[in-house]
Amino acid sequence: MHRDAERAATLSVAVTALLTGMELAAGIWSGAISVVANGVQSAIDLLSALTAWVAIRQGSKPPDADHHYGHGKFESLLAVVQALMIWVTSFLIALEAFQKWRANLPVLYPPIALATMASSVVIGGLTARYLFAVAARTGSLALQADAYHLWADAGAAAGIFVGLAVLTVTGWQFVDSLLALILAVLIFRSGWQLVRQAMAHLLDTALPSEEVAVIEGILQTHADQFLNAHRLRTRQAGNRRYVDLHLVVPDAMTVEEAHRLCDAIEADIRKALPNTDVTIHVEPESAFRQQGLEDRTTFILGRYRREEK
């Protein structure tokens, strides 16, 4: 899967480089600040694509002596850096659009700008759809962020195409600056969404409720072999999921039997949720019955269920 992600990231770098060159050249030649703004956004996307390529290669490295849990959070950290770059870009675009509106500078060659935007919509949109598919299959946050950038860029290009078409028909030159300002707002919003998702990983936010429900369902299928499961904890780092829980087994169960049970649960969880590390702490029934109320009332399965106070 990592090879698929690397290939997709490499394709994204090549496509984004092409779009950046096209849009910046056409925008400067035609005098359309909205096309230049989209070109600048593509340049940021190019930097993001390169960042994603590096993040995927680094994040996929196995655990080592200094990183016992792997390098998954490297992707999340670089996603925050990408968001900061996006915010700076949105400010610069808005400033340039305002200055052009005040100077009332015209778009000199609208057909060139229109043809460039149409090409950007097709190329960027198709590439983004491919990246979204690979990101969903591999669980790569960096690749997902990269796909979102390209998709937003294609959407912005479509809006600019429509706006420039209106400008060509009506002669309303302010439309160009207005489009650039709208684009600046959309760029800022995409940065905000990206930093929220990245911070959730960096702060060890729990897995989505639907994924936790999958884990609980798997535990329930094995509930006839243990007495209780509690202290279920989950988090995610890059494309890696981490799950740990306590499992109470009968005192008569041997170590080998408990080991086989844990292996079966771990295998089922990894099959349902790929790239998951599972840690299970086994407790004997006698020790569990001596624990306090707090341990006996957290996520209960099996014979011992949640106790009412």
Side-chain angles (χ1 to χ4, degrees), residues 218-228 301-303 305:
I218 291 172
L219 286 169
Q220 192 64 60
T221 63
H222 294 273
D224 60 331
Q225 302 178 65
F226 62 85
L227 303 178
N228 172 270
L301 288 174
R303 180 184 303 173
R305 299 185 176 276

Side-chain angles (χ1 to χ4, degrees), residues 95-281:
L95 181 62
E96 184 67 21
F98 180 73
Q99 290 175 345
K100 186 187 178 186
W101 172 73
R102 291 190 61 184
N104 195 30
L105 298 176
V107 177
L108 302 178
Y109 305 106
I112 295 176
L114 285 169
T116 302
M117 288 298 95
S119 300
S120 295
V121 171
V122 175
I123 297 173
L126 291 177
T127 305
R129 286 175 63 88
Y130 171 71
L131 294 183
F132 274 126
V134 177
R137 188 167 66 251
T138 61
S140 172
L141 175 62
L143 197 59
Q144 181 182 3
D146 201 19
Y148 185 85
H149 292 163
L150 275 172
W151 187 257
D153 192 35
I160 293 172
F161 178 87
V162 174
L164 290 176
V166 172
L167 182 151
T168 302
V169 173
T170 63
W172 296 341
Q173 296 298 324
F174 72 87
V175 171
D176 185 38
S177 297
L178 179 60
L179 289 172
L181 287 172
I182 294 174
L183 183 60
V185 174
L186 293 176
I187 292 173
F188 183 89
R189 180 174 176 271
S190 68
W192 173 248
Q193 292 175 335
L194 180 57
V195 78
R196 283 184 60 187
Q197 187 175 14
M199 290 304 295
H201 286 194
L202 291 173
L203 297 176
D204 289 337
T205 302
L207 294 178
S209 57
E210 57 270 20
E211 294 188 3
V212 174
V214 169
I215 298 171
E216 294 180 357
I218 291 172
L219 286 169
Q220 192 64 60
T221 63
H222 294 273
D224 60 331
Q225 302 178 65
F226 62 85
L227 303 178
N228 172 270
H230 60 282
R231 289 192 184 179
L232 173 65
R233 300 187 302 177
T234 64
R235 65 183 179 90
Q236 186 167 355
N239 68 336
R240 300 294 303 180
R241 300 176 179 88
Y242 294 90
V243 176
D244 65 81
L245 59 99
H246 288 213
L247 197 69
V248 181
V249 299
D251 290 336
M253 180 176 284
T254 66
V255 173
E256 181 180 358
E257 291 171 338
H259 180 70
R260 284 201 301 266
L261 172 61
C262 291
D263 281 349
I265 294 174
E266 292 170 10
D268 287 348
I269 292 176
R270 283 193 293 267
K271 182 178 179 181
L273 301 174
N275 299 326
T276 301
D277 288 342
V278 185
T279 302
I280 300 178
H281 174 74

